[in-house]
Amino acid sequence: MDEDTQVTDIVITKTERLGPFEFRWPANVEPFEGGWDCHVTIDGVPHVVRHGIGQREVYGRPRVHTVTWLDRNVQVEGVEADDYPTSQALISRLRRPDGKLARWLEEVQRGYEGFAIVRHRVEIDAPHSPNCLAVKVREDDLASWARHAWLRSQLSKMKPPAVPPPDASPASFRRTPTKPVDQPRVHDARAVAAALLRHATALANQLTTGGAQFTPDAQANQMVIDDPFAFLVAVIADMGIKAERAWAVPYELRQRLGYLEPERVAASGNAVAQAVQASPKLHRFISLIPKWIVEAARIVNLQYGGDAGRIWGDTPTATELRRRLERFPGIGQKKAAMAVEILERDLGVPLQDLDGSDIAFDVHLRRVFLRSGIAEHDDVHEMVAAAKALHPGRPGALDLPAWDIGRRWCHPRHPDCELCPLGLACPRLIERGDKVRGT
């Protein structure tokens, strides 16, 4: 591809939030609930970008729909992904210079290296979802939408792609097991760690405007951010069910009880049990979780004066905080390591000596560590030691990107190695992850 199409610099100099507006297409008028007008500089050249957010009936149901204009010209559109309630992300098709949809990575123009490139049909599993590649971008990530629009505007200036090899058919984009590549791959754990850290940076950039997102319900999400005891309850509940559901447990429990103050919860064992067990059940483990929550409330009352925020409020070291959390029922190495990282990284809790942070021995991370060659055995001590050796200043920084890759690309049966952020750094030891079990 043409070297000149790669964006080297993009700066947003001014942003204005928009109210409702309309846009006239050749055949209809589309209303938008709002959006942004931005003045941006791309490679030193000023541009005006408008990013509008509305809704349209597409792929079988009403979905969030966006349009991005560059210098008053429509360039790209986005459509709500199936996981939008959690990711707040949309899918936008990628095209070749001849206008056709891009189906192979070789057809994607330079400049998209920092984007999450996904399969459209996987992200939107619905009738008429095309078999092509797309970028996945948060609806409010204005810099990425501006970059995407600029890249699309440059597409016609590029040379057509080379003809794909005969065996590169659309069928290759179905979910089939990844086969080992013919050429030998070098096991370079440090290269894998570097790729993980790059993905961590990309995830952090996605949070700059949207804030921490633990569960799709906005009120439930805000509660675990604002209420330390709700955060503690969510950590306890994060087992055996999807994370998004677990982090909504504190809010749902308060809705059923009418309160969630540690002092009252500690004295309400039967009420808490009934609230968790009532239909629809709040958790898979309806006997353990209520007991752990009540005992956690008792510990908070006795040791922290009824304020769970005091568990981490004195700027402890990462190691000390992890040990404090492990004293609570239902919180072991995995949950404590996860909580320490979330508190410091996402919630801004000040901690000392982050070299004492840790990776969580989670099923998704374990699969990634094994298949990428970071660890040879499915053993917590080996994986913790490997993380410390690869990133001694903050081992826990490897946790979130590995967990995210395990969830989104490194699937148990059909890993999507071609689009995985680890790229060629991963030796793709697929069979190593076949026996990893857990939640």
Side-chain angles (χ1 to χ4, degrees), residues 124-136:
I124 299 180
D125 185 13
H128 310 299
S129 180
N131 186 17
C132 69
L133 296 182
V135 290
K136 187 172 185 179

Side-chain angles (χ1 to χ4, degrees), residues 297-345:
R298 189 188 69 81
I299 295 173
V300 168
N301 285 326
L302 291 177
Q303 297 184 19
Y304 299 100
D307 179 7
R310 291 176 59 183
I311 300 170
W312 49 81
D314 58 348
T315 316
T317 65
T319 299
E320 178 58 29
L321 177 55
R322 186 159 43 83
R323 289 172 178 167
R324 291 177 187 177
L325 289 168
E326 288 177 352
R327 296 186 187 112
F328 284 87
I331 298 183
Q333 184 277 336
K334 169 184 168 181
K335 293 182 183 179
M338 171 195 70
V340 169
E341 277 295 304
I342 290 174
L343 285 166
E344 197 282 336
R345 180 191 63 228

Side-chain angles (χ1 to χ4, degrees), residues 366-410:
R366 290 157 54 201
R367 194 162 55 244
V368 171
F369 269 36
L370 288 168
R371 287 174 171 173
S372 67
I374 287 180
E376 293 187 9
H377 306 97
D378 190 15
D379 177 79
V380 60
H381 301 294
E382 179 179 334
M383 292 186 178
V384 167
K388 290 183 182 297
L390 289 170
H391 197 51
R394 184 172 185 172
L398 300 176
D399 182 78
L400 176 62
W403 178 83
D404 185 65
I405 287 172
R407 251 193 156 199
R408 295 168 61 186
W409 291 281
C410 199

Side-chain angles (χ1 to χ4, degrees), residues 195-393:
L196 285 171
L197 293 172
R198 286 194 296 271
H199 185 55
T201 299
L203 292 173
N205 291 338
Q206 294 173 15
L207 290 174
T208 54
T209 54
Q213 187 76 24
F214 302 108
T215 186
D217 186 291
Q219 290 179 297
N221 193 69
Q222 196 61 45
M223 183 177 176
V224 295
I225 293 174
D226 295 338
D227 184 338
F229 185 65
F231 178 89
L232 185 65
V233 170
V235 173
I236 291 171
D238 195 355
M239 60 176 287
I241 59 177
K242 287 187 175 182
E244 294 84 358
R245 182 181 165 197
W247 287 77
V249 165
Y251 178 78
E252 295 294 338
L253 183 59
R254 187 181 66 178
Q255 292 293 96
R256 296 185 180 190
L257 289 173
Y259 54 87
L260 199 67
E261 294 80 11
E263 184 177 1
R264 297 185 67 182
V265 170
S268 307
N270 290 336
V272 172
Q274 292 173 6
V276 172
Q277 295 166 8
S279 183
K281 295 179 175 60
L282 288 188
H283 203 280
R284 174 181 173 187
F285 300 113
I286 57 174
S287 297
L288 282 177
I289 294 299
K291 293 179 182 178
W292 288 348
I293 291 174
V294 172
E295 179 61 16
R298 189 188 69 81
I299 295 173
V300 168
N301 285 326
L302 291 177
Q303 297 184 19
Y304 299 100
D307 179 7
R310 291 176 59 183
I311 300 170
W312 49 81
D314 58 348
T315 316
T317 65
T319 299
E320 178 58 29
L321 177 55
R322 186 159 43 83
R323 289 172 178 167
R324 291 177 187 177
L325 289 168
E326 288 177 352
R327 296 186 187 112
F328 284 87
I331 298 183
Q333 184 277 336
K334 169 184 168 181
K335 293 182 183 179
M338 171 195 70
V340 169
E341 277 295 304
I342 290 174
L343 285 166
E344 197 282 336
R345 180 191 63 228
D346 300 326
L347 301 186
V349 172
L351 300 178
Q352 302 179 58
D353 300 333
L354 290 172
D355 56 351
S357 65
D358 209 349
I359 53 100
F361 194 62
D362 173 88
V363 63
H364 303 297
L365 176 140
R366 290 157 54 201
R367 194 162 55 244
V368 171
F369 269 36
L370 288 168
R371 287 174 171 173
S372 67
I374 287 180
E376 293 187 9
H377 306 97
D378 190 15
D379 177 79
V380 60
H381 301 294
E382 179 179 334
M383 292 186 178
V384 167
K388 290 183 182 297
L390 289 170
H391 197 51

